[in-house]
Amino acid sequence: MTRIAVFGTGYLGATHAACMAELGHEVIGVDVDASKLAKLEAGEVPFYEPGLEEVLKRNLAAGRLRFSSSYQEAADFAEVHFIGVGTPQKKGEFAADLTHVDAVVDSLAPLLTRPAVILGKSTVPVGTAARLAEKARSKAPAGDDIELGWNPEFLREGYAVQDTLHPDRLVLGREWSRTSRVEDVTREVYAQLLDEGIPFLVTDLATSELVKTSANAFLATKISFINAMAEVCEAAGADVSVLADAIGHDARIGRRFLNAGVGFGGGCLPKDIRAFMARAGELGADQALTFLREVDNINMRRRTRMVELVRDAIGGSLLGTRIAVLGAAFKPDSDDVRDSPALNIAGQIQLQGASVNVYDPRAIENSRKIFPTLEYATSVREACSGADAVLVLTEWDEFRNLHPSELDRVVRGRRMIDGRNCLSPVDWISAGWEYRGLGRPSFTPQRSSMGYGEGLASTTLRLGRR
Ligand code: UDX
């Protein structure tokens, strides 16, 4: 058992704190936001993350987990201090804003009077950890007895508990010039995971920081690759979903993260590739990452393309039309709307004169804060009522399992525009709907009666675990 403090109680920090307690450690979660702390103390997760509430409640009840706003309490209590605060994009710049990460070290270090280990989890530009290690040692009364390592997180929202307790791998960056204490302590903290045989890679600080950024850059590139193929498919009248299935069978390529659609969003991929480019520039290695600018461009173009597709389907102008938007979260099983393609598209369509009614199973509250002028519905049917077109922009199961008969008499125009290629075109076409997907030929009921429907029936839409 190790006494652990986790600084930051957002998506990353709250999950990490609860999961460390689940591993049997004694944990204190620290944040400056009193309202978040109050909720967590009461066993309530301030955001939607499947399975987290159970872990939180169980460990609060067992007395292994508590929350506090007091750095002093954390410094007195813990031997290991995890940094799990956010590193958002700087306003008006590509670079990451490190204010919160620095603030944790600035507040904590002066209180460290005993030997302690600091483990960073936040995604930071390469070079940050070494700088923070120096800073922590210079500010801490315990001075040279402070060790800092970097232990990046790879958790996906929606699978955060599983990704924390059963990760694909654990990575630790340490300063080789110093003792092995950081590594020894990290091995103790994750002993249960290491016993399960989860790969543990120990490296220098810079490599550990780069592992995280390059993993996200690769994932973003994979998505933009298939979205670039979608653009070509659109121009050539081909079907990107079948193409993804076919190339995905090649084990070297793999089918996961090859779902074409409105592209990636969220609190990680978009800002991480931008921060990576900015940092490479500072290091004089900007040429190496110029392709990420294109990855970003392709991704942002998908949103505009979706708006064009809707405009086209509806007859050339959105003015005065009613559009139903199903999905607001940046991906399913999340209430996170940070840089959400769905909300961005909904906003653009509204700007072009349509009235837009949005429904999402979890993300309405967060959406309202960012886009208060959109209309929000409490059900799929309500959102689709009188709609000239229905847009699926986040592939929640509730939308994937929709049957045309549920909406036939609700909508004004039977047009389904599938921004995630997650529906079966043949189901909608055979029910008399017009179906359009991104990177797929458009299918109207007339065309399907000429044989397109049968062709599509053999197309299995596989959406693998993300
Ligand atoms: C990501 C990384 O996966 C995770 O390892 C890292 O720690 C944090 O960033 P997350 O932001 O939770 O996790 O979402 P992810 O599942 O990666 O999806 C990112 C975006 O890509 C979503 O908007 C999703 O809809 C989109 N996406 C994903 C696609 O458009 N196509 C795909 O095939 C897969």
Side-chain angles (χ1 to χ4, degrees):
M1 191 278 293
T2 310
R3 286 195 309 278
I4 292 176
V6 179
F7 296 88
T9 58
Y11 289 96
L12 163 64
T15 308
H16 194 67
C19 288
M20 291 304 99
E22 182 79 357
L23 290 178
H25 302 300
E26 275 190 36
V27 183
I28 179 167
V30 184
D31 204 302
V32 290
D33 183 337
S35 69
K36 263 191 206 163
L37 293 174
K39 280 194 175 164
L40 288 163
E41 282 273 67
E44 230 181 281
V45 178
F47 48 87
Y48 179 65
E49 184 58 52
L52 182 55
E53 194 163 303
E54 290 76 4
V55 180
L56 176 74
K57 286 202 159 106
R58 187 163 48 240
N59 287 286
L60 283 169
R64 283 191 294 267
L65 179 60
R66 66 197 153 102
F67 293 91
S68 168
S69 60
S70 166
Y71 272 67
Q72 186 66 58
E73 195 181 340
D76 292 344
F77 168 77
E79 354 168 19
V80 179
H81 301 272
F82 279 103
I83 304 177
V85 291
T87 51
Q89 187 175 336
K90 271 190 192 165
K91 293 229 177 338
E93 273 180 64
F94 270 13
D97 177 355
L98 297 175
T99 315
H100 303 303
V101 170
D102 274 286
V104 171
V105 175
D106 288 336
S107 311
L108 175 68
L111 308 173
L112 296 175
T113 49
R114 291 176 284 124
V117 165
I118 301 175
L119 282 174
K121 291 207 77 67
S122 310
T123 304
V124 290
V126 58
T128 306
R131 178 175 66 74
L132 293 177
E134 284 312 309
K135 176 161 42 182
R137 279 193 281 268
S138 73
K139 290 197 168 193
D144 209 41
D145 284 333
I146 305 300
E147 303 288 348
L148 183 139
W150 216 259
N151 169 224
E153 56 85 17
F154 301 100
L155 60 85
R156 298 160 301 166
E157 289 177 26
Y159 300 92
V161 173
Q162 185 193 327
D163 285 353
T164 307
L165 292 175
H166 308 281
D168 295 333
R169 76 300 208 184
L170 287 163
V171 174
L172 173 69
R174 54 170 278 204
E175 298 168 285
W176 290 118
S177 57
R178 301 186 60 87
T179 69
S180 64
R181 195 149 57 88
V182 160
E183 185 176 335
D184 301 341
V185 166
T186 309
R187 284 183 185 277
E188 272 167 45
V189 169
Y190 294 123
Q192 209 169 304
L193 277 54
L194 299 179
D195 286 348
E196 281 172 27
I198 286 165
F200 183 46
L201 291 94
V202 183
T203 180
D204 54 274
L205 290 177
T207 307
S208 68
E209 293 167 307
L210 280 172
V211 168
K212 175 58 197 276
T213 9
S214 56
N216 276 356
F218 186 87
L219 294 172
T221 305
K222 199 169 177 190
I223 299 169
S224 276
F225 172 82
I226 201 64
N227 280 329
M229 294 308 108
E231 287 187 19
V232 179
C233 284
E234 274 156 26
D239 189 331
V240 73
S241 292
V242 186
L243 183 135
D245 286 345
I247 63 172
H249 278 296
D250 184 330
R252 293 170 303 174
I253 297 173
R255 181 62 179 83
R256 286 170 67 182
F257 267 68
L258 275 189
N259 295 318
V262 291
F264 58 81
C268 291
L269 298 193
K271 64 113 175 144
D272 285 351
I273 60 168
R274 292 172 194 156
F276 200 12
M277 283 186 268
R279 185 65 185 133
E282 287 168 6
L283 293 168
D286 43 342
Q287 246 192 328
L289 297 188
T290 45
F291 75 96
L292 285 181
R293 190 172 270 277
E294 207 43 54
V295 166
D296 204 354
N297 277 332
I298 294 167
N299 191 53
M300 299 312 280
R301 272 207 302 273
R302 298 322 283 158
R303 303 177 182 190
T304 334
R305 175 69 194 131
M306 183 69 193
V307 179
E308 281 166 9
L309 197 63
V310 181
R311 208 171 43 215
D312 192 47
I314 218 113
S317 169
L318 286 162
L319 202 64
T321 60
R322 280 188 72 81
I323 306 294
V325 165
L326 303 184
F330 83 105
K331 68 172 194 180
D333 298 316
S334 170
D335 65 355
D336 195 348
V337 294
R338 285 177 293 172
D339 206 351
S340 166
L343 268 190
N344 184 301
I345 290 162
Q348 286 190 51
I349 289 178
Q350 190 195 35
L351 276 178
Q352 296 195 18
S355 91
V356 181
N357 207 336
V358 183
Y359 169 71
D360 187 287
R362 296 279 174 181
I364 296 298
E365 210 182 304
N366 285 341
S367 304
R368 261 189 224 282
K369 290 181 205 151
I370 304 185
F371 273 102
T373 57
L374 292 169
E375 282 175 64
Y376 293 99
T378 53
S379 69
V380 172
R381 281 176 71 91
E382 190 189 327
C384 295
S385 170
D388 297 298
V390 178
L391 279 47
V392 172
L393 299 182
T394 312
E395 68 277 33
W396 285 93
D397 279 346
E398 184 181 349
F399 308 151
R400 293 169 63 171
N401 298 331
L402 265 179
H403 196 272
S405 61
E406 296 170 61
L407 298 181
D408 276 347
R409 273 182 285 279
V410 177
V411 296
R412 187 157 70 187
R414 293 182 183 178
R415 297 184 190 92
M416 174 55 79
I417 309 179
D418 182 1
R420 292 288 185 176
N421 292 328
C422 63
L423 303 174
S424 160
V426 74
D427 288 353
W428 291 86
I429 296 157
S430 54
W433 284 61
E434 182 183 336
Y435 171 93
R436 295 190 190 217
L438 281 170
R440 320 182 82 176
S442 62
F443 299 104
T444 59
Q446 290 81 0
R447 282 178 72 189
S448 76
S449 66
M450 285 156 58
Y452 280 79
E454 287 109 72
L456 275 170
S458 62
T459 304
T460 38
L461 295 172
R462 254 174 268 128
L463 285 167
R465 199 184 83 140
R466 299 259 158 106

